[in-house]
Amino acid sequence: MNTLEQMKAYGHEQIVFVRDEAVGLQAIIAIHDTTLGPALGGTRFWNYGNEEEALFDVLRLSQGMTMKNAAAGLGLGGGKAVIIGDPAKLKSREFFHSYAHFINSLGGKYYTAEDVNISETDVAMINEVSEYVVGTPAISGNPAPFTARGVYMGMKAGASKCFASDSLEGKTVVVQGIGSVGRKLCNYLANEGAIIKVYDIDRAKVDEVVDTLGAIAISGDELLTTECDIFAPCALGAVISSTNAVSLKCRLVAGAANNVLVDAAAGKALAQMGILYLPDYIINAGGVINCGMEITGSYDVGRVNEQVDKIYDTTLRILALAEEKGISTYQAAEEYAWGVVMAG
Ligand code: NAD
């Protein structure tokens, strides 16, 4: 498929290819849908194998941002950008200034923020040239604590369906990935008296949460087979496939990682096993709610938390829609998000 055909398939409005030889910048900015407002989505810096890989990633991610931002009620559209190259070799103030000029050329149609390999420091450098960047250290900063809070609220809503109470006290939760989000999620779980089992490829992070919160360490082999109430994937995507889903021994899957399911078949497999799956972009929207507040109004952390806590109700709404229509929670989330866009 050529680029225009792909844009049509995903429903994109605009794709911008940018290049500045002097600083080694090569990037693709994808504006998916601006029905609800300017497109918001972070910039990912990745050493893609080739341009096709980068284009595929940015098309898919920007479409996801439209749904995430719509479902979170942000009044913003969806977009995303990818910078192609080795972050360790290319990052410099001049590099980000050049990138910022390209963002400015879109006249406010696209707002960027942090994503993989784009830090608060990088965002601050973009902000020296462009106002179209959020998640800036001076205002809303690191979104991870808000993402963790939203995942926790979504998890509680899911628990109310699975266990007839939204209390997580005494519930066993397996957390994969003790990074920025996973670690903060563990705090919420510990505060509520959950039994926390953890796995991270970084042993030091596991040891810290074992020592501090009394979490129980499990191995990578045990991750998908441990008897638990809730599995919270907070590392990378594509964790659950139709093949490995059968080994899960939980009632609820609720985590921060984007694209947890390998494909729709994985979602079907979970449903067949009676495992409730909470769509990732519904419950991990806390970070984007935090950043979005920088665009839509004067930033206020209390209002951000209020908005993030609404993820509880949004999750319940999506579960009710799935039940009412006899569709998967994943399909229900899509239907809900597109409904918000259409009502635009
Ligand atoms: P992070 O990089 O801080 O943490 C990820 C953790 O996962 C690290 O500790 C890493 O060692 C661990 N890890 C990597 N591969 C693993 C594996 N196979 N098994 C176990 N552990 C593994 O990232 P983060 O900011 O905490 O984000 C976690 C996930 O949530 C990501 O998928 C991210 O895309 C998603 N997410 C994050 C935010 C946010 O606000 N940071 C918002 C929305 C979605």
Side-chain angles (χ1 to χ4, degrees), residues 77-101:
K80 197 95 182 179
V82 294
I83 297 178
I84 303 163
D86 183 349
K89 289 189 184 144
L90 289 169
K91 279 189 185 186
S92 71
R93 173 163 266 107
E94 293 69 35
F95 182 91
F96 285 113
H97 284 184
S98 171
Y99 179 54
H101 282 297

Side-chain angles (χ1 to χ4, degrees), residues 47-265:
N47 210 353
Y48 293 97
N50 53 49
E51 185 188 311
E52 286 69 36
E53 265 181 36
L55 182 62
F56 174 73
D57 211 23
V58 80
L59 288 172
R60 200 177 47 94
L61 290 166
S62 51
Q63 184 193 45
M65 288 310 299
T66 296
M67 296 197 290
K68 186 188 282 208
N69 295 345
L74 295 185
L76 292 167
K80 197 95 182 179
V82 294
I83 297 178
I84 303 163
D86 183 349
K89 289 189 184 144
L90 289 169
K91 279 189 185 186
S92 71
R93 173 163 266 107
E94 293 69 35
F95 182 91
F96 285 113
H97 284 184
S98 171
Y99 179 54
H101 282 297
F102 284 113
I103 292 173
N104 284 347
S105 73
L106 295 167
K109 211 173 175 190
Y110 168 66
Y111 281 79
T112 198
E114 292 93 345
D115 196 75
V116 177
N117 289 324
I118 294 288
S119 67
E120 276 191 24
T121 314
D122 304 333
V123 155
M125 286 192 270
I126 295 171
N127 195 214
E128 286 164 2
V129 170
S130 177
E131 62 183 290
Y132 306 119
V133 58
V134 289
T136 54
I139 308 179
S140 72
N142 180 9
F146 301 96
T147 304
R149 185 177 176 120
V151 170
Y152 168 66
M153 294 309 289
M155 187 183 281
K156 281 179 74 66
S160 75
K161 282 281 163 198
C162 291
F163 313 117
S165 156
D166 73 2
S167 169
L168 301 178
E169 189 179 1
K171 294 283 177 286
T172 301
V173 185
V174 168
V175 182
Q176 178 196 23
I178 313 300
S180 316
V181 179
R183 180 62 184 82
K184 299 218 160 41
L185 177 64
C186 286
N187 285 345
Y188 284 108
L189 298 174
N191 282 342
E192 212 178 313
I195 298 158
I196 311 167
K197 296 192 175 181
V198 290
Y199 171 66
D200 195 296
I201 49 171
D202 183 341
R203 183 69 212 194
K205 291 183 176 175
V206 172
D207 291 344
E208 186 277 326
V209 81
V210 167
D211 291 345
T212 317
L213 299 180
I216 300 158
I218 59 169
S219 69
D221 291 341
E222 293 169 303
L223 185 70
L224 298 178
T225 56
T226 296
E227 194 94 38
C228 61
D229 296 294
I230 303 167
F231 174 47
C234 298
L236 302 177
V239 177
I240 300 175
S241 67
S242 52
T243 317
N244 69 20
V246 290
S247 56
L248 283 171
K249 295 187 183 66
C250 62
R251 295 276 307 282
L252 177 64
V253 174
N258 284 310
N259 305 318
V260 166
L261 303 180
V262 168
D263 51 24

